[in-house]
Amino acid sequence: MPRHNFSAKVKRQAHERSGGHCEAVGEVYGLPPGQRCNAALAGKRVEIDHYPIPATDEGSDVLENAVACCTKCHGHKTATYDVPMQAKGKRVATRHLGISQPGTLPGARIKYSRARGVWVDRATGQIVEAPQQ
């Protein structure tokens, strides 16, 4: 997926708007609901985050979607929100194409368990006979 980066102008505007303090707000940044970080950004690395629209979406590169963050808040969001959401998107897209995980049969309830060396019914966890392919 293409990434829509902020222009230098938008980055400057977001930094000016922040008043030199982290704009991260709420749980997505590892804070209590509704709480703003407000960490001083002067003399520190300022990261401009895409939120609430992800960087991969069209129109995400505008000032209204730019959050001037400290590295701690941006790192938390990246690790606990962005990366898992991107992984889920890839899984959904892969499933939509009909591509299955190794050791599974598309649409089947059974899966091959490498650890146990047997086929297992996903719903019950019971060992079943190898499927006819």
Side-chain angles (χ1 to χ4, degrees), residues 1-24:
M1 288 184 228
R3 181 175 172 83
H4 301 277
N5 294 315
F6 295 114
S7 67
K9 179 182 178 183
V10 169
K11 290 178 183 181
R12 279 193 306 274
Q13 290 173 329
H15 190 267
E16 289 171 13
R17 181 192 60 207
S18 75
H21 292 88
C22 179
E23 295 182 307

Side-chain angles (χ1 to χ4, degrees), residues 67-89:
V67 180
C69 294
C70 64
T71 56
K72 180 180 177 185
C73 287
H74 191 220
H76 177 84
K77 178 178 168 277
T78 298
T80 62
Y81 182 78
D82 295 337
V83 171
M85 291 300 287
Q86 290 170 358
K88 182 177 181 178

Side-chain angles (χ1 to χ4, degrees), residues 109 120-128:
R109 286 181 33 181
V120 177
D121 185 307
R122 292 178 185 208
T124 65
Q126 300 295 316
I127 296 173
V128 295

Side-chain angles (χ1 to χ4, degrees), residues 73-125:
C73 287
H74 191 220
H76 177 84
K77 178 178 168 277
T78 298
T80 62
Y81 182 78
D82 295 337
V83 171
M85 291 300 287
Q86 290 170 358
K88 182 177 181 178
K90 288 177 185 176
R91 287 192 308 270
V92 169
T94 300
R95 191 175 313 121
H96 178 72
L97 294 173
I99 300 169
S100 64
Q101 294 287 331
T104 62
L105 299 176
R109 286 181 33 181
I110 60 173
K111 176 182 179 198
Y112 186 75
S113 169
R114 288 191 193 119
R116 295 169 67 184
V118 294
W119 287 88
V120 177
D121 185 307
R122 292 178 185 208
T124 65

Side-chain angles (χ1 to χ4, degrees), residues 13-51:
Q13 290 173 329
H15 190 267
E16 289 171 13
R17 181 192 60 207
S18 75
H21 292 88
C22 179
E23 295 182 307
V25 177
E27 295 174 275
V28 73
Y29 289 101
L31 304 165
Q35 182 178 328
R36 180 173 166 166
C37 174
N38 271 328
L41 298 175
K44 297 182 181 173
R45 180 180 164 100
V46 177
E47 298 185 2
I48 309 298
D49 186 29
H50 291 79
Y51 189 74

